[in-house]
């Protein structure tokens, strides 16, 4: 695609750049090219460089994975320095270099962000989450998985200012305890998806408050939450009629007695019922489980 655009710059065939930039090239042509190819296109000429800069300034979605396995720090800063209209920002595999210094200006000048992905960005600080809460009032989806710098104070700021949140991933945010989760769900009652996985500090109090405050909840991930017990799962079943999936693998205090209620409603669970587990084990070990006919 880049080669075709380059070849179009000839005196005999006319120039692609003669087309209206803001009305045609940016919204209808460049948007279909991978970001990595657009960056290569900048090297064709100064005019193409200006065109790509215009595109970057009007880009609605930025995904670092489109550029390659490792985007240089300086390239990231240059790409987004003039953009004030971002709606989606995905920064994965940037943990080696991404710090507050690079990200805070981007957050501060983009007030229309409704989806932010910061999974594994370990070198950031709580100041980023505070900046997000103050700059992004329309935020709908936020992933902070494996961001251990997230603390209760910064999460409270998020809850106070981003009440339209529908999906939050707090996997392995190990500083957070029940009180912080309770505050979040009390303020953000529109939540449909929440992950509290891999957090030994999360227990029944947080799960029950989530159930009572978020009636629209559809997906809940409690993987590895060792303090969660049967009572909170029953509350979840009572208060969340729209629940579609629940992950409780490695929650050793959650038994089939509470899960069966959800299972009977068709909720997708990541834990098999005891009878099915036994049959699978029997089939693997002995090889004749398919021939067993159980009538209950």
């Amino acid at each position: 695609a880049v080669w075709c655009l380059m070849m179009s710059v000839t005196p005999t065939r006319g120039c692609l750049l003669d087309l209206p930039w803001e009305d045609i090239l940016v919204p209808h042509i460049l948007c279909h090219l991978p970001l990595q190819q657009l960056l290569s296109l900048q090297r064709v000429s100064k005019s193409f460089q200006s065109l790509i800069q215009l595109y970057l300034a009007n880009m609605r979605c930025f995904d670092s994975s489109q550029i390659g396995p490792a985007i240089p720090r300086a390239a990231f800063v240059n790409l987004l320095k003039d953009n004030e209209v971002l709606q989606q920002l995905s920064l994965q595999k940037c943990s080696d270099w991404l710090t507050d210094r690079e990200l805070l200006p981007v957050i501060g000048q983009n007030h229309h962000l409704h989806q932010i992905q910061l999974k594994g960005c370990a070198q950031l600080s709580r100041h980023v989450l505070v900046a997000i809460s103050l700059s992004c009032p329309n935020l709908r989806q936020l992933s902070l998985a494996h961001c251990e710098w997230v603390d209760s104070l910064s999460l409270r700021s998020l809850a106070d200012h981003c009440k339209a949140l529908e999906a939050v991933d707090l996997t392995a945010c190990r500083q957070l305890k029940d009180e912080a989760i309770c505050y979040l769900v009390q303020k953000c009652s529109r939540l449909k998806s929440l992950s509290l996985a891999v957090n030994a500090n999360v227990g029944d109090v947080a799960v029950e408050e989530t159930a009572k405050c978020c009636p629209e909840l559809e997906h809940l991930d409690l993987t590895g939450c060792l303090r969660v017990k049967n009572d909170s799962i029953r509350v979840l079943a009572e208060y969340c009629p729209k629940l579609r999936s629940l992950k409780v693998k490695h929650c050793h205090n959650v038994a089939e007695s509470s899960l069966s209620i959800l299972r009977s409603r068709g909720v997708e669970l990541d834990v098999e019922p005891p009878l099915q587990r036994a049959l699978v084990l029997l089939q693997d070990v002995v090889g004749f489980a398919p021939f067993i006919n159980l009538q209950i």
Side-chain angles (χ1 to χ4, degrees):
V2 173
W3 175 251
C4 292
L5 288 173
M6 294 172 63
M7 292 302 294
S8 67
V9 190
T10 62
T12 57
R13 298 170 59 186
C15 182
L16 178 72
L17 296 174
D18 292 337
L19 295 172
W21 287 16
E22 296 188 16
D23 295 331
I24 301 296
L25 293 183
V26 170
H28 298 294
I29 296 180
L30 297 187
C31 63
H32 296 292
L33 295 178
L35 186 56
Q36 192 169 22
Q37 292 186 2
L38 288 174
L39 299 181
S40 299
L41 192 60
Q42 289 187 103
R43 297 194 290 268
V44 174
S45 67
K46 290 184 177 180
S47 296
F48 268 100
Q49 183 178 16
S50 298
L51 173 61
I52 301 307
Q53 288 297 321
L54 176 65
Y55 172 81
L56 294 174
N58 289 276
M59 188 168 47
R60 298 295 197 273
C61 176
F62 179 82
D63 185 346
S64 61
S65 65
Q66 294 183 5
I67 298 178
I71 172 176
R73 183 197 311 259
F76 172 78
V77 173
N78 184 62
L79 287 173
L80 297 179
K81 61 183 176 62
D82 298 321
N83 194 305
E84 298 180 358
V85 294
L86 274 179
Q87 296 179 2
Q88 300 178 37
L89 178 63
S90 180
L91 299 174
Q92 302 184 64
K93 300 180 180 179
C94 300
S95 59
D96 292 340
W97 58 269
L98 185 65
T99 67
D100 291 10
R101 183 176 181 179
E102 293 79 37
L103 186 55
L104 284 175
V106 176
I107 298 296
Q109 67 193 31
N110 282 281
H111 305 293
H112 303 288
L113 281 165
H114 59 75
Q115 182 175 334
I116 299 177
Q117 166 67 265
L118 297 176
K119 179 180 179 180
C121 293
Q123 295 193 51
L124 301 177
S125 78
R126 60 184 302 272
H127 299 296
V128 166
L129 189 53
V130 173
I132 289 173
S133 66
L134 297 177
S135 298
C136 310
N138 299 315
L139 193 64
R140 297 290 189 275
Q141 300 179 32
L142 176 63
S143 175
L144 299 168
H146 302 280
C147 294
E148 297 195 23
W149 45 266
V150 176
D151 61 11
S152 59
L153 289 178
S154 57
L155 193 70
R156 287 175 71 94
S157 179
L158 179 74
D160 284 335
H161 296 93
C162 299
K163 298 180 181 180
L165 278 168
E166 296 180 355
V168 179
D169 188 346
L170 299 173
T171 298
C173 293
R174 295 185 176 91
Q175 289 196 57
L176 301 177
K177 299 181 180 180
D178 281 348
E179 293 79 7
I181 304 303
C182 289
Y183 193 87
L184 173 69
V185 298
Q186 288 166 3
K187 296 288 186 176
C188 303
S189 58
R190 301 182 189 178
L191 280 176
K192 295 181 179 180
S193 177
L194 177 64
S195 176
L196 304 174
V198 198
N199 190 337
N201 294 317
V202 171
D204 285 344
V205 173
V207 176
E208 291 181 12
E209 194 67 13
T210 299
K212 294 175 181 178
C213 294
C214 303
E216 302 297 317
L217 192 67
E218 297 179 1
H219 307 281
L220 180 61
D221 190 346
L222 300 174
T223 303
C225 294
L226 303 179
R227 295 176 56 230
V228 174
K229 301 181 181 65
N230 285 322
D231 288 344
S232 61
I233 301 301
R234 293 190 181 97
V235 173
L236 193 67
E238 179 181 356
Y239 283 89
C240 297
K242 297 184 179 181
L243 193 67
R244 294 168 53 192
S245 71
L246 173 66
K247 295 183 178 180
V248 288
K249 188 171 289 186
H250 306 303
C251 295
H252 304 304
N253 294 312
V254 175
E256 184 63 23
S257 58
S258 60
L259 294 176
S260 60
I261 305 171
L262 295 168
R263 203 184 299 279
S264 65
R265 284 173 22 194
V267 175
E268 180 183 345
L269 303 173
D270 62 344
V271 176
E272 296 175 341
L275 178 59
Q276 184 175 348
R277 287 205 303 270
L279 290 177
V280 170
L281 180 61
L282 189 60
Q283 181 179 4
D284 290 341
V285 175
V286 183
F288 62 85
F291 302 104
I292 296 177
N293 182 20
L294 295 178
Q295 296 182 358
I296 300 175

